[in-house]
């Protein structure tokens, strides 16, 4: 079987939902596929109140933002088809792609595609890092906040960025004992508000420490930590054994980019954005003129910026099919302004720098 | 059902779901219909899902969203099934996967 659409959106996280909403609202026939059982992306596991822009939902819980985005897309359901449990598996030439669900493999013919596949979790090298009981932070969140199951009774968190700190708090909410947070840097990576929250609850944060090995033979029973020096080398005789039944790795995300590579989009490595990202201009268009990108797939950032970039991509994708439109232009102008505000200030510095590098490569900066 | 299941949560509500029976390595267990197989096993206290092909090391799930393949098992005779995204159904036969597994004719 084959399907025909004008705009084809891959991934139903905040970026993809926003892109699909805008494209359909402006008048494009739109198809969105997501390979999970429920659209919402990372948001459906996030029970904490969000940081970010107050125009764009800061202070609201991730799960609530997901519900809001879902209501938005229902409003345009006459032009927008959403397929859950359906993965985009590759692009053909001539604006065609393949999608796979449990039931069937189908071809999709489109005029513009917006790829919003999000990110995958990083692992970390240490002895026994493959033992059962070692999970990614997203995995822990999925198990706990989507399926209602604790990862274990006592957990060690590796990484004190915002994700490590927030997931630690969520673990405590779910009744799991967090035995400590390990951080290689001399200072805590995430916002102080999140760190203070878990410190008040008695969780020790081990800065300038690393995990040397996981203990146990067929499952985690503990971890061996050690202090590290300025060059991140373990300091001898500072080993510390901690008892726990699971370990959570919150050591960053990498953009999920296989589809761009397969579509032969030019890629560029930008450390500030999490690794290899598809080169794109300020319209979020990649070097393959029919393919746009938005959200974490274009560089690891946050949900509010993913929503805004999704709106830009949705509006520009609409325009490539239906021609210039004042409404689309207004959406883009508003989103750009909000993005500028969001990325200003010292916390946005690294992102700004990374984004500028991408634009420089395409000659827009 | 077990102590790993969250029954009270300050923010989230988990809706009632249908209980189903499944079989893991010859023993009967219970889980909720539609939850991932790996989640049902985890809640039943089972963390080792397979053994690695070369060094025969125990492996459990890692990403829980169908990206890393750490959770592959034999489900109803089908090897290499990503159990973290396979919904549990009544009567499922689940086995640990040894190495690459064997394809049944
Ligand atoms: C613990 C944690 C806390 C966070 N806290 C905050 C916060 O407070 N404030 C904030 O602004 N941000 C926060 N974020 C970040 C935010 O959640 C992400 O930046 C945002 O979700 C990215 O949106 P996205 O749409 O790009 O990707 P995602 O939300 O990851 O969505 C991608 C979707 O694409 C689907 N997909 C992938 N590949 C395919 C394919 N081939 N075919 C079909 N579907 C596919 C995936 O299943 C997924 O549903 C947090 C993240 C985490 C993990
Ligand atoms: S745990 Fe990663 S694919 Fe299942």
């Amino acid at each position: 079987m084959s399907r025909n659409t004008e705009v084809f959106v891959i991934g139903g996280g905040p970026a993809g939902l926003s892109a699909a909403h805008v494209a359909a609202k402006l008048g494009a026939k739109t198809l969105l596929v997501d390979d999970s059982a429920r659209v919402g992306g990372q948001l459906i596991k996030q029970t904490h109140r969000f940081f970010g822009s107050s125009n764009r939902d800061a202070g609201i819980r991730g799960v609530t933002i997901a519900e809001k985005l879902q209501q938005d897309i229902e409003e345009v359901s006459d032009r927008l088809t959403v397929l859950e449990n359906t993965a985009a598996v590759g692009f053909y030439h001539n604006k065609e792609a393949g999608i796979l669900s449990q039931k069937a493999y189908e071809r999709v013919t489109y005029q513009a595609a917006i790829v919003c596949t999000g990110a995958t979790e990083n692992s970390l090298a240490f002895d026994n890092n493959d033992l059962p009981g070692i999970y990614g932070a997203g995995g822990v969140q999925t198990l706990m906040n989507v399926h209602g199951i604790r990862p274990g009774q006592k957990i060690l968190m590796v990484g004190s960025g915002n994700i490590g700190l927030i997931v630690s708090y969520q673990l405590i909410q779910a009744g799991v004992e967090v035995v400590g947070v390990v951080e290689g840097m001399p200072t805590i990576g995430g916002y102080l508000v999140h760190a203070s929250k878990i410190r008040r609850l008695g969780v020790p944060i081990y800065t300038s420490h690393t995990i040397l090995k996981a203990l146990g033979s067929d499952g985690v029973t503990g971890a061996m930590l050690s202090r590290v020096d300025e060059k991140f080398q373990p300091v001898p005789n500072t080993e510390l054994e901690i008892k726990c039944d699971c370990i959570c790795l919150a050591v960053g995300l990498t953009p999920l980019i296989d589809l761009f590579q397969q579509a032969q989009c030019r890629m560029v490595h930008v450390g500030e954005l999490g690794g290899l990202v598809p080169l794109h201009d300020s319209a979020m268009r990649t070097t393959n003129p029919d393919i746009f990108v938005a959200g974490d797939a274009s560089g690891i950032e946050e949900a509010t910026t993913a929503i805004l970039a999704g709106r830009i991509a949705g509006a520009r994708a609409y325009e490539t099919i239906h021609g210039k439109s004042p409404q689309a232009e207004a959406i883009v102008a508003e989103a750009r302004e909000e993005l500028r505000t969001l990325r200003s200030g010292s916390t946005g510095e690294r992102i700004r720098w990374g984004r500028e590098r991408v634009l420089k490569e395409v000659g827009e900066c | 059902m077990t102590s790993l299941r969250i029954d009270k949560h300050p923010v989230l509500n988990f809706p009632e779901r249908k209980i189903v029976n499944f079989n893991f390595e010859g023993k009967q267990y219970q889980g909720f219909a539609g939850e991932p197989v790996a989640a049902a096993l985890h809640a039943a206290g089972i963390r080792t899902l397979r053994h690695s092909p070369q060094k025969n090391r125990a492996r459990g799930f890692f990403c829980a969203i169908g990206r890393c393949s750490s959770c592959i098992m034999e489900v109803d005779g089908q090897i290499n099934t990503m159990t973290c995204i396979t919904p549990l159904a009544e009567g499922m036969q689940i086995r640990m996967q040894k190495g690459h597994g064997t394809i049944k004719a």
Side-chain angles (χ1 to χ4, degrees):
Chain A
M1 219 177 94
S2 77
R3 290 175 189 262
N4 203 312
T5 187
E6 289 179 337
V7 175
F8 176 40
V9 182
I10 302 173
L17 289 175
S18 308
H21 175 235
V22 163
K25 187 145 191 179
L26 287 169
K29 184 177 173 202
T30 306
L31 171 69
L32 182 146
V33 297
D34 192 288
D35 61 0
S36 54
R38 214 163 107 203
V39 293
Q42 299 294 322
L43 293 177
I44 62 167
K45 358 176 160 158
Q46 287 164 26
T47 49
H48 62 284
R49 294 181 196 282
F50 263 46
F51 46 84
S53 150
S54 55
N55 289 349
R56 285 279 158 224
D57 307 323
I60 306 180
R61 297 183 200 282
V63 281
T64 318
I65 304 175
E67 279 162 22
K68 246 182 81 185
L69 290 172
Q70 255 153 317
Q71 281 164 11
D72 284 349
I73 59 168
E74 262 154 47
E75 185 194 303
V76 290
S77 58
D78 51 335
R79 272 190 297 264
L80 171 63
T81 308
V82 176
L83 300 177
E84 287 164 335
N85 283 317
T86 305
V89 291
F91 287 105
Y92 298 96
H93 296 296
N94 307 327
K95 305 186 190 183
E96 252 194 302
I99 58 172
L100 183 67
S101 69
Q102 257 139 0
K103 282 181 244 110
Y105 179 80
E106 294 176 68
R107 280 186 178 221
V108 175
T109 326
Y110 61 85
Q111 294 182 45
I114 309 176
V115 182
C116 309
T117 42
T120 54
E121 289 195 83
N122 298 343
S123 184
L124 192 69
F126 56 89
D127 273 356
N128 278 340
N129 72 354
D130 62 341
L131 276 187
I134 301 178
Y135 310 119
V140 164
Q141 278 195 310
T142 306
L143 190 69
M144 187 166 70
N145 298 343
V146 181
H147 304 302
I149 301 168
R150 297 181 189 93
Q153 314 292 355
K154 281 168 166 245
I155 195 162
L156 175 73
M157 179 66 65
V158 181
S160 76
N162 279 323
I163 295 189
L165 297 175
I166 288 168
V167 175
S168 294
Y169 185 70
Q170 293 178 353
L171 280 154
I172 298 169
Q173 280 186 317
V176 182
E177 186 191 340
V178 181
V179 294
V181 178
V182 184
E183 170 61 56
M185 303 287 281
T187 53
I188 292 167
Y191 295 163
L192 231 47
V193 276
H194 297 309
S196 316
K197 223 161 146 183
I198 61 166
R199 267 202 172 131
R200 273 200 298 277
L201 293 167
V203 177
I205 302 181
Y206 300 95
T207 48
S208 295
H209 272 76
T210 192
I211 173 167
L212 292 180
K213 82 189 271 189
L215 307 173
S217 53
D218 55 2
V220 172
T221 57
M224 185 69 80
L225 310 185
S226 130
R227 198 169 257 295
V228 291
D229 61 21
E230 316 78 66
K231 293 191 188 107
F232 298 107
Q233 294 308 308
V235 180
N237 304 318
T238 60
E239 289 85 4
L240 174 71
E241 192 180 317
I242 291 202
K243 286 220 171 326
C244 56
D245 60 6
C246 46
I247 298 172
C248 180
L249 302 183
V251 290
L253 299 162
T254 303
L256 195 58
I257 46 140
D258 8 4
L259 283 174
F260 301 103
Q261 288 180 314
Q262 193 262 333
Q264 295 179 342
C265 299
R266 239 180 83 206
M267 307 298 291
V268 49
H269 191 279
V270 184
E272 288 75 13
L273 300 180
L276 269 184
V277 294
L279 203 57
H280 56 272
D281 61 14
S282 54
M284 305 310 289
R285 193 194 292 265
T286 68
T287 54
N288 182 329
D290 324 316
I291 299 181
F292 292 76
V293 59
D296 279 354
S298 73
I300 306 301
E301 219 175 327
E302 54 186 34
T304 43
T305 50
I307 290 173
L308 294 165
R311 291 178 65 82
I312 295 176
R316 291 303 189 215
Y318 168 84
E319 285 187 322
T320 55
I321 302 164
H322 294 276
K324 288 260 168 254
S325 131
Q327 287 105 309
E329 191 53 46
I331 289 171
V332 171
E334 188 197 29
R336 282 216 177 118
E337 190 45 44
E338 272 190 64
L339 277 177
R340 197 166 20 246
T341 326
L342 272 175
R343 288 173 182 156
S344 64
S346 58
T347 44
E349 199 173 355
R350 274 172 64 80
I351 294 290
R352 232 163 36 231
W353 207 84
R355 295 259 156 227
E356 274 166 22
R357 260 196 62 198
V358 172
L359 291 182
K360 222 173 253 162
E361 291 261 342
V362 283
E364 264 199 42
C365 191
Chain B
M1 266 185 281
T2 63
S3 64
L4 288 176
R5 299 261 182 202
I6 302 169
D7 37 34
K8 271 210 313 283
H9 194 285
V11 183
L12 296 170
N13 285 311
F14 299 103
E16 281 286 311
R17 285 161 297 173
K18 208 177 115 208
I19 294 175
V20 293
N21 299 295
F22 65 94
N23 183 299
F24 169 69
E25 293 288 330
K27 269 179 74 183
Q28 285 295 120
Y29 293 88
Q30 287 190 327
F32 289 127
E35 72 182 348
V37 167
L41 289 170
H42 185 87
I46 295 151
R47 295 205 288 183
T48 300
L49 307 182
R50 67 178 175 110
H51 288 92
S52 69
Q54 286 174 22
K55 300 198 170 161
N56 196 33
R57 289 176 61 88
R59 292 278 165 80
F61 75 84
F62 178 73
C63 73
I65 51 165
R67 295 277 178 270
C68 72
S69 298
S70 189
C71 63
I72 53 174
M73 301 179 80
E74 186 183 313
V75 177
D76 289 339
Q78 179 96 37
I79 60 166
N80 294 336
T81 303
M82 281 188 203
T83 53
C84 72
I85 49 166
T86 302
L88 184 72
E90 176 67 41
M92 264 185 173
Q93 302 288 321
I94 299 154
R95 303 183 56 130
M96 270 196 232
Q97 182 162 326
K98 276 247 171 258
H100 297 298
T102 333
I103 296 174
K104 303 220 169 79

